[in-house]
Structures are given as structure tokens and as C-alpha cells.
Amino acid sequence: MKNSKCIEELKKEFDAYTDMYLPEGLGREEQLKMYSTMWVMRKFEEAVKPLWMANKVHGYYHPYITEEAIGTGIISQLKKEDYIGSTHRGHGHLIAKGGDINKMMAELFGKEEGYNHGRGGSMHITDMSVGMLGASGIVGAAVAPAVGSALKSWIKGTDDVTVVFFGDGGANAGSVSESMNMAAAWKLPVIFVCENNQWAIATDYTRITGEPDLYKRGIGFGIPSYRCDGFNIYQIWETAKAAIERARAGEGPTFIECKTMRMLGHHATDDSWYRDMSVCDKYWEIEPIKRMGEFMIEENIATQEELDAIEQEAIKKVEASIEYADTQCHEPSLDSFYDYIYTDGEVIK
Amino acid sequence: MSIITLRESITQALREEMSLDENVFIMGCDVGLRGNPFGITKGLMKEFGEKRVIDTPISEAAFTGLGVGAAIAGMRPLVEILYADWITLPMDNIVNTAAKTSYMFGGQANVPIVIRAPFGVGGGVAAQHSQNNENWFVHVPGLKVITPSTPYDMKGMLKSAIRDNGPVICFEHKRNYSIKGEVPDGEYLVPIGKANIRKAGTDCTIVAYSYMTYVAEEAAKELEKEGISCEVIDLRSLLPLDYDTVMESVKKTSRVVVVTEAPLRGSIAGEIVGEIIDRGFDLLDAPPQRVGSKNSPVAYNEGLEAMCTPKKEDIIAAVRKTFE
Ligand SMILES: Cc1ncc(C[n+]2csc(CCOP(=O)(O)OP(=O)(O)O)c2C)c(N)n1
């Protein structure tokens, strides 16, 4: 493997980093699809920063860049009826669940045609039609409601599953623990995914947690708990597959910590002055898209030409979404000011 | 005297009080190493050490609760809620513990905590980062709520809050942080519960607080040109609220407009009007007017966001209405 030296070095520093391997039951088509999903996520977010600088997009925008393997490896195995709970870093989750990037871009532009009709923006991106329960700007706040959708599946006796994402920072919110307890007690079909990118804005997670292995928190509640290398989409896929099967079978929740690294600033203008970014140099060598591509070529799963074509297609899709948001969409009408505050068109001024 | 920003005036107040009293300490998300997102606590961790400027997990409910307990045990915590919107998380410990402890325990315990909360609309950051929720706390006996808007007032009143033996919530409008003003070099205090007349006038009283005092001043300037002289009162403190100053002014002008940036329904503007009527209905020559935000969450879209909050023109229209 090209990146094996890096991996060996990282493994010495921390035992979460793993080698790539092809899990049983993962076919070529599914791999190519995941690879493509990751590129759409990456290109979408790479495009947003210049738009933000140009004042086309405003507010807070938090990139999911280099965390793509987590959302992709897990969500791509869900069916449409399954739910996901998301975070302030939710663009990638929505893309993996089958969201429409035109509508997402339109929302970032604050346009009426956007997912949230210009009301929500990046932090609140949501598509209920694909089972996305809504991204919250309150760290940790989306977890309990997501366990609520698992509660619905349990009450109704369906085999729908909920996957809820939160960061290492979000993991410390009280209601996350409280809802994990109920999920375990009632064997709810929910998968807790801690995207441990090791930073909560400027706080290194080891400064504010007593136990650096966050997955162990699940164990305390009686929840089967695992740790994955957040850059290894194959391991994530395999771990999630077992968790989803268990949830569908009524065997209860799973906790998966995906250990990754935040390689960029917290949001568009954060230059990360508070941390040593050279730490990331090694990680860029094993960032998940590059790593999956290299693996597929080495294992003769795909050719370089195929992979390049997938990347090019992602660029085109994203360009089209910008074109759509910028030229074909509209500012919300001021007459619609009171829309959506109450349901069924009710206006209470 | 030096001219500093309101942001710097807060830093000065924190630094001075921490130097004076070793029981004062700061706690919150990213207040230490990063010095808070607005740069307010920058450098304080280096200066005072990691036990006096504490970086917490994103555990608002718990760390505010810890602050309440530390206060009961004799410390003087300064807890920061990074955006006032998230004060919902520690609501229980603020309302049921901090506000009630002294009373329930017959005065055996105090809770000398200050909770600082940046609030208000601006910047297109949508509904969970834009709220004016000061009104919720004005309803809770046992709390004090302050909203200073000039660097001078902010420094002096925050220092008073830190020395207060009970819980005080300090709401800081995010748009006020870069406003500059004169601040004396030496020690001074601004008492909690005293309003300030920002501009004297004879025809109509405009009662406002925080960012809206600046908008009210602009409105008053414009009205001056048409020959309407407005008195602009900056309440500075919402609980206690200085009705003496308000009524003195109403006596003089016999007209009043109350301005808040919060959604108008259920806001303190109505409460103030009610109190004015109770205290001096006969002084009024016209029905009191209220100006506030539309009763809506705040949108991400900047056009809708701007539509939400009161403008200079809204205040001018309300003043004119008192002359109809
Ligand atoms: C309740 C609450 N407290 C603080 C914040 C400010 N904040 C926004 S993102 C963030 C860090 C979140 O860290 P983590 O959960 O690890 O997710 P990451 O951003 O690293 O993906 C913080 C502190 C918030 N949005 N909500």
C-alpha cells in the first residue's frame, strides 16, 4: 500500500488506525457508489468556501471534509424509511441519505427553493422525505429526538432503524447519556455514531474527558460498543452492517465511535490558530477518499479512469447546483414572513 | 479616561475583579485557551491559571450547575453561555436552584454567580443563535437581569454584578461588542437597578435597553429635526428596573414608547407599559406604545432576518402615534 508507512506511524501513536480490507458481502457496485457519494460531499463543501467568501452564502458553515467515510459507510446501507439524526456538520449526512444537492445549495444561498425555504441555512439542513430528522445548531440536542424516532419504530413494531451522529464534543451533553440509557433499557433500534474528530472548536477532547476511548461510554449503559478508524470506510461499513442488522432484529442499540481528525478549521473562517495543524499532514495521506481509491486500484476493483470519471461527475453535479441556486432560485418573499411558524398555514401574529 | 470597545470593557471588569478576589473564577466552553469566540477572555487563562479560567466540555446544564454549587460553597463563579439561546440547557439550575436557594433555605445560603450570555439578532445565523430571551428571567423572583449597552456601563455594572451576593444574568448584545466609548482608568462601579438618561428631551419618552438604545437614539435624532424632542432612557438593568427614572421622564413628557428587540408578545415591553399605567395613568396624554420584534423565530435569510427586528422607522412611527 502506498500509504502504509503513514499508517504504521499513526498506528504507533494510536491503535485506532487500521489496514484496509474488503469485508464480506461488499460488492464492486456498492463500493463505487460510496466512492462517488464521498466525492459529491467533498466537492460540495470545497465549493462552499469561496461562495462564503463572496458573500453568496452566509452564517455558520462547518465542513465535513475528510469525515466523509463515516456518513457514507453507514448511511449508504440504510433504506429510505430509516432515519438519521444529524449535527451542525450535516451536509454529508444528507448527501449520503439521498438528499438533493441543488436544494441544499439553494438553502445555503438562503433561497426560497432551498430545503428550509431560506429559514434554516447550513446548520439546520433537513430533508424529511429521506428520513433526515433535522440538523440542530445546539450541540448534542439532536440525539434524544433521534432516539425518539427509534422509539416510534419500537412502538409500531417496524424494522426501521435510526442512526444518530454526534461529535466528541456533543458526546458530553447530558441528554446524550440520558437517551442512551433509555435506548438500552428498551432495546431501541438506534445506532449512536460518535464522530470523534478530536476537537470541539478549540478544545482538544482529551482536555475535557477522563476516558479518551469514547466508545466505552456505551458499555456503561449495556450497549455493544465499537471503535472504528474513521478513515477506513471498509471497517466502518462492516461495523455498521452488523449494528444495523442487530437493530432491525430488535436486539437494541449499538455505539460506534469513529476516530477521525478535524483537518480544517471549525467553520469557514476559523484558521485553527489554537492548534498545530502540521499534525494533519500525515492524516492527509490517509484521508478517506484517497485511501479508498488507492485500495480499489490495488485490489483491481476499479481502474484509475473509472475513479477519475466519478470525481469529474461530482464536480459537474456541484457546479450545476451552484448555477441553480445562484441563477434559478429566488429570495423568499417578505409576504411569506409568518410561514412555517405554525403548521397548516396558520398565522398567529 | 480611555476609549475602548465594550468587548474590552468586559475583559477589564473580569480582570480587575479576578485580581481583587481570589474566589472569582471563569468557566465555559473555550473561554480559556481560545479566550471565548469574541476574544473577551483572551489571555486570562495565562494570567490567572487553569483553575481560575476553566475550559469546560459542551455540558452547559452541568457546568452551570457546577457554578451554582461552587457559589453556594462560597466561590464567585462567572459562567459563560456562549450564545444566550443555549441557556435553555441549564435552565433548571438557574431557575430552580440559583434563583430559589436563598429563599428556600431562609437565607442560609447565597448564590453569588454571574452568568454572561451574548444575545440578540444579527449575522444571519438563524433561529438557534439569534434569540432575545432576557424576558424569561425577568419573570423569576430571586434573579437579577442586567443589559448594559455602553462600555462604561458594562464595566461598572458587571463589576457590581460580580460583587452581588445573588445570581445575576448579564445579557450582552453581540452587536454591541465593538461599540466604543469612554471608560475611566480607575476603579468605579455602576449600581444594578439604575437607569440612565441617554438623551434628554421634553416631548416623548423612549424606554429601551441594550442594542435598541442605539436605534432609539437614531430615531430621536431624526425626530429632533421635525421638532419632536425625545428623551431616551437606557434601562441598563431589567430586574430590578428603575421605574423612578421612567416615571420622572413620563411626568415631563406625558408620552411613552417602550422598545425591545425581543418578540413583542409576552415581552417586558408590555410589563413596563402596565407598570407605567399603574403608577401614573393620569400623567399620560396618549396611549403608551410598544415596539418589538415580530413574533417569529429568526430566519437565516438576511432579508427575512432584517424584517424581524425593530428599525429606527418603527420607533419614529410609534412616537408619532403618541401625537395622533
Ligand atoms: C449547546 C451548545 N453549546 C455550544 C455550542 C457551540 N459549538 C458549536 S459547534 C461546537 C463544537 C462541537 O464539537 P463536536 O460535537 O465535537 O463536533 P465537531 O464540530 O467537532 O464536528 C460548539 C462548542 C453549541 N452550538 N451548542
Side-chain angles (χ1 to χ4, degrees):
Chain A
M1 297 267 312
K2 280 191 203 129
N3 54 34
S4 58
K5 194 165 148 271
C6 261
I7 283 287
E8 290 316 316
E9 271 178 43
L10 282 169
K11 270 189 193 167
K12 260 182 250 157
E13 278 168 37
F14 188 75
D15 62 0
Y17 299 102
T18 52
D19 296 321
M20 301 288 257
Y21 57 93
L22 190 61
E24 211 175 299
L26 178 55
R28 178 182 126 93
E29 285 314 310
E30 197 173 346
Q31 288 175 68
L32 291 178
K33 194 163 160 268
M34 290 199 294
Y35 186 75
S36 156
T37 300
M38 289 204 285
W39 267 126
V40 175
M41 294 176 180
R42 177 72 56 90
K43 294 297 174 191
F44 183 90
E45 293 194 326
E46 283 177 352
V48 176
K49 186 159 179 181
L51 292 168
W52 196 92
M53 293 300 186
N55 215 11
K56 296 260 182 196
V57 171
H58 65 269
Y60 285 126
Y61 133 71
H62 309 85
Y64 193 54
I65 286 175
T66 72
E67 300 183 28
E68 294 96 343
I70 307 169
T72 305
I74 299 170
I75 300 170
S76 65
Q77 303 184 62
L78 297 179
K79 53 188 173 63
K80 190 159 175 255
E81 293 73 23
D82 294 326
Y83 294 102
I84 58 168
S86 187
T87 68
H88 56 286
R89 216 175 281 287
H91 306 145
H93 301 147
L94 182 53
I95 290 171
K97 195 71 174 69
D100 175 345
I101 64 165
N102 287 353
K103 283 188 170 179
M104 183 149 75
M105 191 60 87
E107 183 58 30
L108 265 53
F109 275 68
K111 299 288 178 77
E112 180 59 37
E113 290 81 358
Y115 266 127
N116 313 39
H117 305 291
R119 270 62 172 183
S122 164
M123 272 191 298
H124 306 298
I125 205 82
T126 288
D127 181 354
M128 280 303 294
S129 75
V130 296
M132 187 178 189
L133 295 162
S136 178
I138 318 288
V139 171
V143 176
V147 176
S149 75
L151 181 70
K152 172 202 157 179
S153 309
W154 179 75
I155 293 169
K156 295 282 181 191
T158 63
D159 73 348
D160 302 338
V161 166
T162 299
V163 177
V164 60
F165 296 88
F166 50 96
D168 45 284
N172 296 318
S175 68
V176 174
S177 299
E178 295 179 27
S179 37
M180 272 163 62
N181 178 50
M182 284 183 270
W186 303 330
K187 288 202 184 318
L188 301 182
V190 57
I191 299 161
F192 297 95
V193 180
C194 179
E195 298 180 313
N196 182 358
N197 66 16
Q198 310 192 34
W199 288 86
I201 312 188
T203 303
D204 171 351
Y205 88 112
T206 57
R207 288 182 63 223
I208 43 103
T209 42
E211 168 55 73
D213 284 338
L214 297 181
Y215 74 94
K216 290 180 183 164
R217 293 192 184 183
I219 298 169
F221 288 105
I223 298 174
S225 302
Y226 305 91
R227 185 176 63 194
C228 287
D229 171 352
F231 296 104
N232 183 345
I233 194 164
Y234 294 106
Q235 190 195 16
I236 295 166
W237 183 90
E238 190 181 38
T239 310
K241 183 168 191 281
I244 294 166
E245 277 165 12
R246 209 165 31 243
R248 285 211 204 288
E251 287 165 29
T254 303
F255 190 106
I256 304 173
E257 175 194 0
C258 293
K259 183 99 170 188
T260 175
M261 174 60 83
R262 201 190 78 212
M263 312 260 257
L264 302 177
H266 176 70
H267 56 73
T269 52
D270 175 18
D271 65 3
S272 300
W273 61 266
Y274 44 80
R275 60 183 281 218
D276 173 11
M277 290 302 277
S278 71
V279 171
C280 295
D281 294 349
K282 263 185 277 186
Y283 291 95
W284 280 112
E285 292 298 313
I286 58 157
E287 63 88 2
I289 302 184
K290 184 171 175 212
R291 211 169 160 208
M292 185 183 192
E294 284 172 3
F295 179 81
M296 286 196 292
I297 287 175
E298 276 164 33
E299 299 290 315
N300 293 318
I301 297 163
T303 64
Q304 189 64 51
E305 292 68 44
E306 282 175 306
L307 300 187
D308 291 346
I310 286 173
E311 181 182 349
Q312 290 309 315
E313 202 183 315
I315 293 173
K316 273 196 216 122
K317 268 191 189 166
V318 170
E319 278 172 355
S321 76
I322 298 170
E323 165 80 15
Y324 171 73
D326 203 14
T327 64
Q328 282 165 261
C329 297
H330 309 86
E331 291 292 318
S333 145
L334 296 184
D335 292 337
S336 71
F337 183 85
Y338 287 98
D339 287 4
Y340 316 114
I341 300 175
Y342 294 96
T343 46
D344 305 329
E346 194 178 358
V347 174
I348 304 179
K349 293 189 181 177
Chain B
M1 280 286 180
S2 32
I3 303 218
I4 59 171
T5 59
L6 184 133
R7 178 191 282 118
E8 289 164 329
S9 78
I10 298 172
T11 316
Q12 283 191 6
L14 302 179
R15 177 177 284 122
E16 287 178 16
E17 292 305 302
M18 286 182 82
S19 307
L20 285 170
D21 183 347
E22 62 181 22
N23 289 325
V24 177
F25 72 99
I26 299 175
M27 187 157 66
C29 286
D30 275 338
V31 293
L33 217 58
R34 179 160 168 244
N36 140 311
F38 305 104
I40 286 168
T41 52
K42 214 166 189 168
L44 294 181
M45 187 191 228
K46 242 196 194 139
E47 211 172 317
F48 295 98
E50 292 185 16
K51 286 192 174 173
R52 302 217 31 219
V53 183
I54 304 173
D55 276 328
T56 61
I58 310 170
S59 308
E60 282 84 358
F63 72 69
T64 309
L66 261 61
V68 170
I72 293 173
M75 299 294 285
R76 292 187 171 272
L78 281 154
V79 169
E80 177 179 295
I81 308 292
L82 210 141
Y83 277 77
D85 308 66
W86 315 327
I87 210 163
T88 47
L89 291 150
M91 202 70 172
D92 180 57
N93 268 312
I94 295 172
V95 174
N96 285 323
T97 311
K100 309 280 197 289
T101 291
S102 170
Y103 185 78
M104 289 191 308
F105 300 146
Q108 292 180 74
N110 298 324
V111 191
I113 188 175
V114 175
I115 299 170
R116 293 185 34 247
F119 79 131
V121 182
V125 285
Q128 293 177 333
H129 287 69
S130 305
Q131 285 168 88
N132 286 77
N133 45 22
E134 65 280 10
N135 296 292
W136 303 345
F137 300 95
V138 172
H139 192 65
V140 182
L143 297 178
K144 290 183 183 174
V145 179
I146 62 172
T147 55
S149 63
T150 65
Y152 176 90
D153 288 345
M154 182 53 86
K155 179 173 174 186
M157 203 178 279
L158 187 55
K159 282 165 73 81
S160 297
I162 295 169
R163 297 184 196 184
D164 196 289
N165 284 328
V168 181
I169 308 182
C170 178
F171 283 98
E172 302 163 6
H173 202 292
K174 288 164 287 193
R175 289 205 215 185
N176 286 348
Y177 279 141
S178 42
I179 285 175
K180 288 188 170 174
E182 282 189 350
V183 169
D185 295 326
E187 152 100 9
Y188 72 100
L189 295 174
V190 173
I192 294 175
K194 196 88 195 71
N196 181 35
I197 297 173
R198 279 267 283 273
K199 183 195 161 298
T202 50
D203 302 332
C204 181
T205 300
I206 307 176
V207 178
Y209 60 95
S210 201
Y211 180 65
M212 281 297 137
T213 55
Y214 295 99
V215 183
E217 272 182 328
E218 278 176 38
K221 236 181 253 166
E222 214 135 293
L223 286 159
E224 202 82 48
K225 289 183 209 150
E226 335 179 340
I228 301 177
S229 158
C230 292
E231 181 143 299
V232 178
I233 296 180
D234 179 355
L235 289 173
R236 299 196 287 196
S237 159
L238 301 182
L239 179 61
L241 198 150
D242 181 4
Y243 282 109
D244 292 344
T245 298
V246 173
M247 293 315 292
E248 272 310 306
S249 179
V250 171
K251 206 180 281 171
K252 199 163 60 169
T253 63
S254 69
R255 292 179 173 81
V256 64
V257 171
V258 184
V259 188
T260 173
E261 195 187 75
L264 197 55
R265 183 174 55 225
S267 77
I268 188 160
E271 169 67 18
I272 293 171
V273 163
E275 193 73 29
I276 291 170
I277 289 173
D278 282 352
R279 291 183 187 227
F281 183 73
D282 296 343
L283 299 173
L284 293 165
D285 282 349
Q289 299 297 313
R290 293 173 305 149
V291 177
S293 273
K294 296 196 167 48
N295 297 313
S296 162
V298 177
Y300 167 76
N301 176 277
E302 287 174 319
L304 292 174
E305 181 196 67
M307 194 175 157
C308 205
T309 56
K311 308 282 164 305
K312 179 178 70 180
E313 292 72 28
D314 300 317
I315 300 174
I316 291 171
V319 170
R320 285 203 187 115
K321 207 157 174 210
T322 64
F323 287 97
E324 273 169 14

